[in-house]
């Protein structure tokens, strides 16, 4: 679970992926390119971006653009 600078709360849901809670609404995030749906941690980065930690490594998610960039080890 993580909260970004816009006070959106993000959840990793096992085998489903990433969800967002904002106000009174839950929404599944569109995360094309997310390498793994076994999310273990979510960290808020600059400009509302999220670092998604999972069993295959770390992905950078840009919620406003619905883009995922992954990092190679």
């Amino acid at each position: 679970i993580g909260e970004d600078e816009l006070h959106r709360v993000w959840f990793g849901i096992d085998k489903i992926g990433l969800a967002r809670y904002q106000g009174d609404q839950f929404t599944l995030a569109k995360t094309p390119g997310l390498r793994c749906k076994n999310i273990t941690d979510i960290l808020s980065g600059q400009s509302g971006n999220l670092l998604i930690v999972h069993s295959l490594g770390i992905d950078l998610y840009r919620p406003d653009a619905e883009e995922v960039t992954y990092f190679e080890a």
Side-chain angles (χ1 to χ4, degrees):
I1 297 174
E3 182 177 358
D4 66 19
E5 61 189 19
L6 299 175
H7 304 289
R8 298 175 292 193
V9 179
W10 297 88
F11 300 86
I13 302 174
D14 193 28
K15 300 179 184 169
I16 294 175
L18 188 63
R20 176 184 72 220
Y21 178 77
Q22 185 174 8
D24 60 352
Q25 200 173 80
F26 282 96
T27 307
L28 288 178
K30 294 179 182 173
T31 54
L34 187 66
R35 291 181 297 159
C36 180
K37 295 183 180 181
N38 182 21
I39 297 169
T40 57
D41 204 358
I42 301 168
L43 304 168
S44 180
Q46 295 178 351
S47 304
N49 297 331
L50 301 173
L51 292 174
I52 308 297
V53 181
H54 49 71
S55 58
L56 297 178
I58 299 172
D59 292 344
L60 174 68
Y61 177 57
R62 295 177 189 86
D64 295 336
E66 296 179 340
E67 294 178 343
V68 175
T69 303
Y70 58 89
F71 296 97
E72 294 287 339

